[in-house]
Amino acid sequence: FRLPDCNDMKLRATFRVTEFTNRAGSLSYRVTGTAPDGRRIRENFQDQVGALARKTDLEFESANFVPASRLHQTRLNDAQIAECERAVAELGDRPLMDAVRFYLENYREPQVKIGLRDAVAELLAAKTGEKARTETIQNLRFRLNAFVNFEPDGKLVCDVLANDIDQFINRDAKIRGLRSRKNDYLALSNFFNWASGRKPSYCVASPMPKRKFNFDDADPAVMPIETVRRLMSVCAEYKDGKTVPYFALALFAGIRPNELARLTWKQIDLDAGLITIGAGIAKTRSKRHVEFCQVGDQEPNLAEWLLPHVARRTPIAISRFDFEKVKALSGIRGWTKDILRHTAASHHLALFEHEGKTALWLGNSPAIIQRHYKGLVKRQDTAQFWSIRPEDAAGKIVKLAVG
């Protein structure tokens, strides 16, 4: 049997008194109807007064009937009971306690509620005010704005969950490599650490999930000796050698492109054979000294490449156009990112056979040197590499007609 609903009760909870004659010929009165709980009522009385009194009692009981399913002891008040009913109705078949536990584990009341877009703009403005590297700000802007656009418009910082971050990082996983996903993760970590650590905070704790991105890096590409000679020959011929300082310092001093963009002749001491990469220039903001390398008693080849440009102060930084033009004129295929620095690092390690020395020279850690650069070049090639000089390179290719 099923309990009748409220509409059933109103329709069925009616009773009536009917008169009928017994076999003996006397009159009797019968009360009939259906109670709210579904029971059929059929009771006989010898007099009409008794029947009417019973009908009145039954109607009173029906009017005050409470279904048995609602008769539960509870400490909740009526408003809380009503709220629970709405929550259960909205959850459907999903357990209410699971929803409560999820809320307690993930929600943190922030001191200030702010939208993702506004918070990202504030962080970028703060980084600019702190004079962070241009490339650092560009990287954060690119990756954080991608996250803002990935999330629903108007989403608050405090409403971001670990699952939201996972979905963003793993978007287009088939075409986005692990390195790109790791860079997204690092940018978001930077943002949420700032948001949770500022006063007042935008989220009580960072929602960043704990993730590891394990992948094997391919060995860095290294330019063959003949390719280095051809490249430096092109540099010497192109626009009166205006790109020579840039490529020579990248190849024979292992200086990063972003560091070369900030380097001036004030930091280069040809007499001492030393380049000072100050904290304001270095990627890691740690000062380091880069010594010119030489084989035996020979003059360092880097000094010979730089000497003609010291007096006229040829700008070290070059335009993207000139960089790409030199690449094209050199006819080098398979040019990979940081190939100039990788070539310098590999030959420095092969020359000195000391990970710590090469790490200090490059501004890296010994572990990175050991893992990435060991055994990439042969010792006989290394001797040739540090001996590549302007006159040596110039004789290796036909003189180029470049403008």
Side-chain angles (χ1 to χ4, degrees):
F1 109 154
R2 73 174 180 84
L3 291 174
D5 60 26
C6 294
N7 292 328
D8 286 337
M9 289 187 277
K10 291 179 180 178
L11 293 173
R12 298 171 63 183
T14 56
F15 302 90
R16 61 178 180 163
V17 177
T18 56
E19 180 181 287
F20 69 97
T21 304
N22 294 316
R23 291 180 181 179
S26 60
L27 290 175
S28 294
Y29 298 90
R30 179 173 294 165
V31 179
T32 59
T34 303
D37 60 1
R39 291 180 296 111
R40 297 278 297 177
I41 303 297
R42 192 169 184 272
E43 300 177 8
N44 297 331
F45 295 85
Q46 291 181 353
D47 57 273
Q48 188 178 24
V49 174
L52 291 173
R54 177 57 176 158
K55 175 178 178 290
T56 300
D57 290 341
L58 288 169
E59 289 175 342
F60 180 81
E61 292 173 6
S62 298
N64 294 279
F65 174 79
V66 177
S69 62
R70 296 295 300 273
L71 296 178
H72 295 290
Q73 186 175 5
T74 178
R75 290 188 293 271
L76 301 179
N77 58 37
D78 290 342
Q80 292 170 327
I81 291 173
E83 186 173 9
C84 288
E85 289 177 339
R86 289 195 300 271
V88 170
E90 191 164 336
L91 284 168
D93 294 334
R94 289 166 290 191
L96 176 59
M97 280 307 301
D98 286 354
V100 172
R101 290 191 186 99
F102 182 83
Y103 173 87
L104 293 176
E105 290 171 1
N106 291 279
Y107 183 76
R108 299 292 184 273
E109 185 67 35
Q111 294 182 7
V112 177
K113 292 185 178 181
I114 185 173
L116 271 174
R117 190 176 301 277
D118 291 338
V120 166
E122 184 178 330
L123 171 63
L124 294 175
K127 292 291 185 182
T128 301
E130 295 167 1
K131 300 188 183 304
R133 299 282 191 231
T134 301
E135 54 271 21
T136 298
I137 296 174
Q138 290 174 343
N139 178 66
L140 286 173
R141 180 179 289 111
F142 172 75
R143 297 184 187 280
L144 295 181
N145 282 335
F147 180 65
V148 170
N149 294 329
F150 184 81
E151 293 299 307
D153 191 38
K155 188 160 189 172
L156 301 178
V157 175
C158 60
D159 289 339
V160 176
L161 304 177
N163 187 56
D164 299 326
I165 296 170
D166 268 338
Q167 289 181 3
F168 170 73
I169 290 173
N170 293 317
R171 72 196 189 283
D172 301 328
K174 292 183 178 179
I175 59 176
R176 297 178 69 250
L178 282 176
R179 183 173 294 281
S180 180
R181 280 178 269 174
K182 180 179 181 179
N183 290 338
D184 283 344
Y185 181 90
L186 294 175
L188 288 173
S189 292
N190 188 319
F191 171 72
F192 283 108
N193 287 338
W194 167 81
S196 61
R198 70 184 302 282
K199 302 295 182 183
S201 66
Y202 292 154
C203 55
V204 173
S206 171
M208 292 299 298
K210 292 183 178 180
R211 294 290 179 269
K212 287 186 177 180
F213 298 86
N214 297 319
F215 52 92
D216 296 327
D217 285 328
D219 287 338
V222 176
M223 278 189 179
I225 299 300
E226 290 305 315
T227 302
V228 175
R229 290 195 178 101
R230 186 166 72 250
L231 173 63
M232 293 309 298
S233 295
V234 171
C235 291
E237 297 293 333
Y238 180 74
K239 292 186 178 181
D240 198 26
K242 68 174 295 184
T243 63
V244 165
Y246 179 92
F247 282 96
L249 288 165
L251 271 170
F252 303 120
I255 301 176
R256 297 180 177 94
N258 290 329
E259 294 171 341
L260 287 170
R262 294 185 282 268
L263 191 67
T264 68
W265 289 102
K266 292 180 180 179
Q267 288 87 41
I268 301 175
D269 186 341
L270 256 64
D271 293 332
L274 192 69
I275 304 167
T276 300
I277 307 295
I281 297 175
K283 175 184 176 181
T284 59
R285 291 189 180 273
S286 297
K287 182 178 181 180
R288 76 178 190 275
H289 295 291
V290 180
E291 296 180 345
F292 290 14
C293 295
Q294 66 183 87
V295 177
D297 296 329
Q298 294 180 329
E299 181 76 10
N301 64 340
L302 178 57
E304 294 187 18
W305 283 106
L306 297 181
L307 185 60
H309 301 276
V310 174
R312 58 189 178 187
R313 288 295 193 263
T314 303
I316 294 172
I318 63 175
S319 68
R320 187 69 190 179
F321 175 85
D322 287 335
F323 182 87
E324 294 297 334
K325 189 69 174 179
V326 168
K327 281 174 55 178
L329 290 170
S330 300
I332 300 173
R333 296 183 179 181
W335 188 294
T336 60
K337 187 176 184 297
D338 292 328
I339 190 171
L340 303 177
R341 179 172 164 85
H342 294 329
T343 301
S346 301
H347 285 294
H348 189 280
L349 181 60
L351 177 64
F352 294 101
E353 298 182 323
H354 193 298
E355 290 89 348
K357 187 178 180 69
T358 301
L360 288 173
W361 190 71
L362 289 172
N364 267 337
S365 70
I368 289 179
I369 303 302
Q370 174 73 17
R371 185 165 67 245
H372 293 294
Y373 299 112
K374 191 170 184 178
L376 294 184
V377 295
K378 299 176 182 178
R379 287 189 62 82
Q380 58 266 33
D381 289 340
T382 292
Q384 294 183 54
F385 175 80
W386 296 113
S387 299
I388 296 176
R389 303 174 188 280
E391 65 275 11
D392 179 52
K396 295 300 177 181
I397 61 171
V398 178
K399 184 175 177 66
L400 296 168
V402 297

